[in-house]
Amino acid sequence: ASLGKNMLQAAQQALQDYPDIPIHLVTADTGGTPEQGRAAMEELISQEIQMVVGPVFHQVALAAAELAAGHTFPLLTLNPHLNIAALDTMGGQNIFLNAFQPKLQARLMARYGVMEMHRKRFAILAPETAYGRDIALAFAQEVDNLGAKVVQIVTFPPRGHDFSPAIKQLVHLDPGTAQGRM
């Protein structure tokens, strides 16, 4: 709810900053659930809107895209999942993603490390989540495609605040001998 309020305030402020632009802002609350997202999208469709910006969260954005796919207005969702854009029945002309593509970013980071920094060996420190696994895999595949190597992948608990065990594992630091090595 707070994210939605902040985004609404930002849109309202943007419209106030440019009063000569003929845009009328219409809002509908997705409530953060696919069911409410569908209802909000149906409400907007009934008002004959010309464009939808949002939703943010994956399941809600997917539900909105399913409805938008059958219409000609553009949907600019703020979620990075490619399966949302895949619903576009107009060949990339009405469902758009305005979000970072994590796998693309991982591949670009790998390319930068190999091609620009001239590194040949990499280690990955990633969260123990689906996101972390996907990013690590995309990075590792690109590193391999470029002729370099990922020598180690270490994960850490997603809600943790102490990364020292993972970092020690990454650098092969034996806690028993750490003080002597320091």
Side-chain angles (χ1 to χ4, degrees), residues 33-61:
T33 69
E35 297 76 27
Q36 288 177 284
R38 269 189 214 86
M41 194 67 170
E42 287 169 352
E43 178 185 327
L44 293 172
I45 291 169
S46 74
Q47 295 181 42
E48 299 182 4
I49 48 86
Q50 294 178 343
M51 179 178 186
V52 172
V53 177
V56 175
F57 300 110
H58 180 243
Q59 294 301 322
V60 181

Side-chain angles (χ1 to χ4, degrees), residues 151-152 154 166-175 177 181:
V151 295
Q152 188 172 12
V154 174
I167 293 170
K168 288 175 184 174
Q169 181 184 351
L170 190 65
V171 297
H172 304 288
L173 185 61
D174 176 16
T177 61
R181 290 178 64 189

Side-chain angles (χ1 to χ4, degrees), residues 89-103:
T89 58
M90 298 181 67
Q93 296 190 21
N94 81 322
I95 298 177
F96 304 92
L97 307 179
N98 185 24
F100 292 113
Q101 299 295 312
K103 290 180 184 178

Side-chain angles (χ1 to χ4, degrees), residues 1 3-4 8 15 18 73 98 143 145 155 165 168:
L3 176 62
L8 176 58
L15 289 175
Y18 298 95
F73 62 83
N98 185 24
V143 163
N145 291 342
T155 60
K168 288 175 184 174

